[in-house]
Amino acid sequence: MDQKEYILMSTRRPKIDDVAKLAQVSKSTVSRVLNNRGYLSQNTIEKVYQAIEELNYRPNTIARQLYSNKTNIIGLIFPTVNNPFYAEMVEALEKKLFNRGFKVILGNSMNDPHKEETYLLQLLSHQVDGLIVGAHNQDLKEYQKKNLPPIVAIDMNLNPEIPVVSSDNYQGGKIATQLLLKSGAKEIIHINGPASVKSPAQKRRQAYEDVLKENNLIPHTYTVSLKDSKSKKIQIFREIFREHPLVDGIFASSDINAALIIQIAKQLGIKVPDDLKVIGYDGANITRLLMPDLTSIIQPVETMSQKAVDILQKMINDEPYPRNIILPVELWKGTTA
Amino acid sequence: MDQKEYILMSTRRPKIDDVAKLAQVSKSTVSRVLNNRGYLSQNTIEKVYQAIEELNYRPNTIARQLYSNKTNIIGLIFPTVNNPFYAEMVEALEKKLFNRGFKVILGNSMNDPHKEETYLLQLLSHQVDGLIVGAHNQDLKEYQKKNLPPIVAIDMNLNPEIPVVSSDNYQGGKIATQLLLKSGAKEIIHINGPASVKSPAQKRRQAYEDVLKENNLIPHTYTVSLKDSKSKKIQIFREIFREHPLVDGIFASSDINAALIIQIAKQLGIKVPDDLKVIGYDGANITRLLMPDLTSIIQPVETMSQKAVDILQKMINDEPYPRNIILPVELWKGTTA
């Protein structure tokens, strides 16, 4: 009776050693396959899972988690994936985390003021090893607690203890406003999120105001929230044209809002870019594919996600980590400004 | 000494009963808050979590999972969220699952032939209560096994036992091809995924071929995979114009491909829609916002996600469920066809 027959005939529950023997690999290789850690050839992965199947071995993930107090799961809390910028970010984070042996729990917090809090409360109760948060909801007291598990924020100031990865919002706002001025615009309107949201994205507004003041022009910022419905946004954007009939430049703090403004301008018979220059923000790859003409500021999603994962891993490993990472932006020159 | 003082002073580890007493709710309400099940007022949620905090009660999710053999987690395996159609689908699924007390683990399987298999193998080993799969990778033997946990497929035939939710691909293909003919196109090319992928989306191709044959025209389908890089796709789409210089209609089986074709046509000096009519597929809300001129077939993402969640819940509850749901599509009339 060979090893395999012995194990299969035995009445005891198969153990990880049995899987290792049958697959002809070491116990630590079986463990690495189960946890998707380190380099593994597809051949090894298949051999191990074939042995698991033959033996009907149940890795009992839950018991293993209870023992190690690790879940190998990271929570991602973002407003929505139904927005090309966040979609690209979540995609990049998921890929990088998978390659380090983590799976992700995705929580979309937008349009539901209590959902982010519920996610936070649940995920903080030992369901994840860490969080990456790019959500835009109200100040939640959960973020103010001491002894939080590893959390990295993307473009959000949650608490001085929580490291933030963002792109250079001031530089982005400056490039956008200067471009509109250079294109000949004189009455330039800015659209941004509510100033009450403590986001580094408010620095875009600061740069816009600084550049206009340097040029003796008066800044006007209209506020829309990511949570606002499309019809609410349309209503606010229509007001811009009523209240500022001479508007000839708009710096929208997202490409989605820029797209909506261009549609409204078209309906009002205002020609872009002849009568109105428009510049967006984010520059996600899908947006650039679907709307290549939209001039925009590109945020470095790939590098931002890489930094966020690096910092989170350092926090989990109890290594020193940087508190504040600011990455450079780029201009996408379309034809709208 | 009141109840609270008694509990706080006691050396024993706080129990769920203690939380219930302090929060002045029933034990089952605490349990519902922890599992996010049923209707709960924000006031109740906050009271319960406040009590949890005061008592430093640790719900010990993992131990609870070990006991109940439930994780309250659903795995979503989709090619990517960095595509407006899948992003809208994942967003809708996450929202509906959250409202039923589930969290989601997100796995993007695209561009990594082994990643889908790794996710499947790991998630099937007791890490999730069920799966919703809309991935497009190769035939994986895991889907052929008996006694799979609850799985619902979106637009994929994985195994006759696995229920499929799709939109009416044949009807969509028919509407698209008939519209191109009606707009005056005579040499109509179709773009679809590889026929080897067992997707109901191949019915769009069937409808395209049927409609052309009825009109004594010759069908030509070019194949691109969702996995192909942008430059690979550009190369394939350029061939269409070289091999069919008289092409005057293109039915692309996705909006992303339609957008790329329109860009290439522009570079080649071909005017859309004057010289070339283009119709896409999917009609996600973000695509319609960024590219409202693109004529497309709208898939009913909201209803598809609702049906998928309903069926999965029935499978988890061991109730009878339908095997095959086909939902109607709609035409989005832009200006490109």
Side-chain angles (χ1 to χ4, degrees):
Chain A
M1 186 158 74
D2 70 7
Q3 171 68 22
K4 178 174 157 186
E5 281 170 318
Y6 170 75
I7 300 168
L8 287 170
M9 285 183 66
S10 157
T11 51
R12 66 184 174 82
R13 196 170 158 169
K15 296 206 176 82
I16 193 166
D17 307 72
D18 301 325
V19 175
K21 275 179 195 153
L22 185 54
Q24 297 178 299
V25 298
S26 69
K27 218 171 110 180
S28 81
T29 300
V30 176
S31 170
R32 286 198 298 126
V33 168
L34 289 171
N35 290 299
N36 189 36
R37 286 212 184 268
Y39 172 76
L40 294 157
S41 75
Q42 197 61 18
N43 182 33
T44 304
I45 295 172
E46 279 172 13
K47 266 197 318 197
V48 169
Y49 276 108
Q50 204 177 335
I52 286 173
E53 197 178 331
E54 278 195 48
L55 298 173
N56 199 24
Y57 168 72
R58 302 178 77 186
N60 209 341
T61 315
I62 297 167
R64 208 153 27 91
Q65 287 173 1
L66 186 64
Y67 176 75
S68 71
N69 209 19
K70 290 271 175 212
T71 60
N72 293 327
I73 294 176
I74 302 296
L76 303 183
I77 302 185
F78 281 83
T80 173
V81 287
N82 197 16
N83 167 302
F85 173 67
Y86 291 117
E88 197 174 323
M89 184 68 78
V90 167
E91 169 104 350
L93 289 170
E94 184 268 350
K95 189 174 176 183
K96 289 169 175 49
L97 289 166
F98 179 84
N99 290 339
R100 291 175 185 232
F102 293 106
K103 277 183 279 299
V104 303
I105 284 188
L106 175 69
N108 294 322
S109 58
M110 190 168 75
N111 286 329
D112 192 335
H114 306 310
K115 201 171 164 191
E116 181 172 348
E117 189 163 19
T118 307
Y119 263 119
L120 265 174
L121 291 166
Q122 293 196 342
L123 294 181
L124 295 179
S125 63
H126 307 277
Q127 298 195 355
V128 292
D129 295 348
L131 288 174
I132 298 178
V133 176
H136 277 241
N137 272 326
Q138 75 279 34
D139 290 329
L140 293 177
K141 58 182 182 302
E142 281 66 30
Y143 292 121
Q144 306 314 322
K145 288 183 186 163
K146 294 281 166 196
N147 302 317
L148 286 167
I151 301 182
V152 176
I154 291 189
D155 232 8
M156 284 300 286
N157 302 320
L158 297 172
N159 149 352
E161 301 287 310
I162 297 175
V164 184
V165 175
S166 57
S167 62
D168 192 338
N169 287 287
Y170 191 87
Q171 184 66 12
K174 194 171 161 183
I175 294 170
T177 313
Q178 285 177 338
L179 181 75
L180 290 171
L181 279 173
K182 210 178 133 194
S183 319
K186 295 260 178 289
E187 183 145 353
I188 301 172
I189 304 292
H190 179 46
I191 294 156
N192 207 320
S196 60
V197 176
K198 287 179 193 160
S199 161
Q202 286 297 324
K203 289 184 184 155
R204 300 174 199 166
R205 176 180 181 157
Q206 191 55 54
Y208 156 80
E209 292 180 353
D210 289 350
V211 172
L212 283 205
K213 282 173 192 162
E214 278 163 27
N215 288 273
N216 300 313
L217 296 169
I218 302 159
H220 297 282
T221 297
Y222 281 70
T223 295
V224 291
S225 162
L226 197 57
K227 285 185 275 190
D228 289 336
S229 66
K230 194 177 162 186
S231 58
K232 173 91 184 283
K233 283 182 177 179
I234 289 173
Q235 194 190 324
I236 294 168
F237 296 156
R238 282 185 168 271
E239 266 168 38
I240 296 177
F241 296 101
R242 262 198 304 274
E243 296 177 354
H244 298 273
L246 298 178
V247 57
D248 54 4
I250 294 181
F251 166 30
S253 212
S254 85
D255 291 332
I256 295 293
N257 289 338
L260 208 46
I261 284 166
I262 289 171
Q263 279 186 28
I264 292 167
K266 200 175 170 184
Q267 286 159 10
L268 295 174
I270 297 167
K271 279 186 189 128
V272 176
D274 297 350
D275 308 331
L276 178 71
K277 326 281 181 215
V278 179
I279 181 162
Y281 213 98
D282 292 340
N285 52 19
I286 287 291
T287 308
R288 283 183 283 149
L289 175 62
L290 295 174
M291 207 175 170
D293 289 345
L294 179 64
T295 301
S296 185
I297 303 293
I298 305 178
Q299 295 205 62
V301 173
E302 185 60 27
T303 332
M304 288 169 81
S305 60
Q306 185 63 58
K307 291 289 177 194
V309 170
D310 287 348
I311 294 174
L312 192 71
Q313 181 82 71
K314 285 192 167 76
M315 294 174 91
I316 290 172
N317 297 351
D318 238 339
E319 295 166 14
Y321 55 88
R323 290 291 156 129
N324 201 1
I325 298 268
I326 297 177
L327 297 159
V329 295
E330 248 183 280
L331 174 68
W332 173 261
K333 191 79 184 77
T335 60
T336 62
Chain B
M1 185 161 70
D2 71 8
Q3 171 67 21
K4 180 174 155 187
E5 282 169 317
Y6 170 74
I7 300 168
L8 287 171
M9 285 184 66
S10 156
T11 52
R12 66 184 174 81
R13 196 169 159 170
K15 295 205 176 82
I16 193 165
D17 306 72
D18 301 325
V19 175
K21 275 180 194 152
L22 185 55
Q24 297 178 297
V25 298
S26 69
K27 216 171 110 180
S28 80
T29 300
V30 177
S31 170
R32 285 197 298 125
V33 168
L34 290 170
N35 291 299
N36 188 35
R37 286 209 186 272
Y39 172 77
L40 293 157
S41 76
Q42 197 61 19
N43 183 33
T44 304
I45 295 173
E46 279 172 12
K47 266 197 318 197
V48 169
Y49 276 108
Q50 202 177 336
I52 286 173
E53 198 178 331
E54 279 196 46
L55 298 173
N56 199 22
Y57 169 71
R58 303 177 74 186
N60 208 340
T61 315
I62 297 167
R64 207 153 29 91
Q65 287 172 2
L66 187 65
Y67 175 75
S68 70
N69 210 19
K70 291 270 177 213
T71 60
N72 293 327
I73 294 176
I74 302 297
L76 303 183
I77 302 185
F78 281 83
T80 174
V81 287
N82 196 16
N83 167 302
F85 173 68
Y86 291 116
E88 197 173 323
M89 183 68 79
V90 166
E91 169 105 349
L93 289 170
E94 184 269 351
K95 188 174 177 183
K96 288 168 176 50
L97 289 166
F98 179 84
N99 289 339
R100 290 175 186 232
F102 294 106
K103 276 181 279 300
V104 303
I105 284 189
L106 175 70
N108 294 322
S109 58
M110 189 168 76
N111 285 329
D112 193 335
H114 307 310
K115 201 171 163 190
E116 182 172 348
E117 189 163 19
T118 307
Y119 262 120
L120 264 174
L121 291 165
Q122 293 196 342
L123 295 180
L124 295 179
S125 63
H126 308 276
Q127 299 195 353
V128 292
D129 295 349
L131 287 175
I132 299 178
V133 176
H136 276 241
N137 271 326
Q138 76 278 35
D139 291 330
L140 293 177
K141 56 182 185 303
E142 281 66 31
Y143 292 121
Q144 305 314 321
K145 289 182 186 164
K146 293 282 167 197
N147 302 318
L148 286 168
I151 301 181
V152 176
I154 291 189
D155 232 9
M156 283 299 288
N157 302 320
L158 298 172
N159 146 353
E161 302 287 309
I162 297 175
V164 183
V165 175
S166 57
S167 63
D168 192 338
N169 287 288
Y170 191 89
Q171 185 66 13
K174 196 171 159 182
I175 293 171
T177 314
Q178 285 177 338
L179 181 75
L180 289 172
L181 280 173
K182 211 180 134 194
S183 318
K186 295 261 177 289
E187 183 146 353
I188 300 172
I189 304 291
H190 178 45
I191 294 157
N192 206 321
S196 61
V197 175
K198 287 178 192 161
S199 161
Q202 287 296 325
K203 288 183 185 156
R204 300 175 200 166
R205 176 180 182 156
Q206 191 56 53
Y208 156 79
E209 292 180 353
D210 289 351
V211 172
L212 284 205
K213 282 172 191 164
E214 277 164 27
N215 287 273
N216 299 315
L217 295 168
I218 302 159
H220 297 281
T221 297
Y222 281 70
T223 295
V224 290
S225 162
L226 196 58
K227 285 185 276 190
D228 289 337
S229 67
K230 194 177 164 187
S231 58
K232 173 92 185 280
K233 282 182 177 179
I234 289 173
Q235 193 190 326
I236 294 167
F237 296 157
R238 283 185 168 270
E239 266 169 37
I240 296 177
F241 296 102
R242 261 199 303 275
E243 295 176 355
H244 299 273
L246 298 178
V247 57
D248 54 3
I250 295 182
F251 165 30
S253 212
S254 85
D255 292 331
I256 296 293
N257 289 338
L260 208 46
I261 283 166
I262 289 170
Q263 279 186 29
I264 293 167
K266 200 176 171 184
Q267 286 158 9
L268 296 173
I270 297 166
K271 282 188 187 124
V272 175
D274 298 350
D275 308 331
L276 178 71
K277 326 281 180 213
V278 178
I279 180 163
Y281 212 99
D282 293 338
N285 52 20
I286 288 291
T287 308
R288 283 183 282 148
L289 174 62
L290 295 175
M291 207 176 169
D293 289 344
L294 179 64
T295 301
S296 185
I297 303 294
I298 305 178
Q299 295 205 61
V301 172
E302 186 58 27
T303 332
M304 288 170 81
S305 60
Q306 186 63 59
K307 290 289 177 194
V309 170
D310 287 347
I311 294 174
L312 192 70
Q313 182 82 72
K314 285 192 166 75
M315 294 174 91
I316 290 171
N317 296 351
D318 239 339
E319 295 166 13
Y321 56 87
R323 291 290 156 128
N324 202 1
I325 298 269
I326 297 178
L327 297 159
V329 295
E330 248 182 279
L331 174 67
W332 173 262
K333 192 79 185 75
T335 60
T336 62

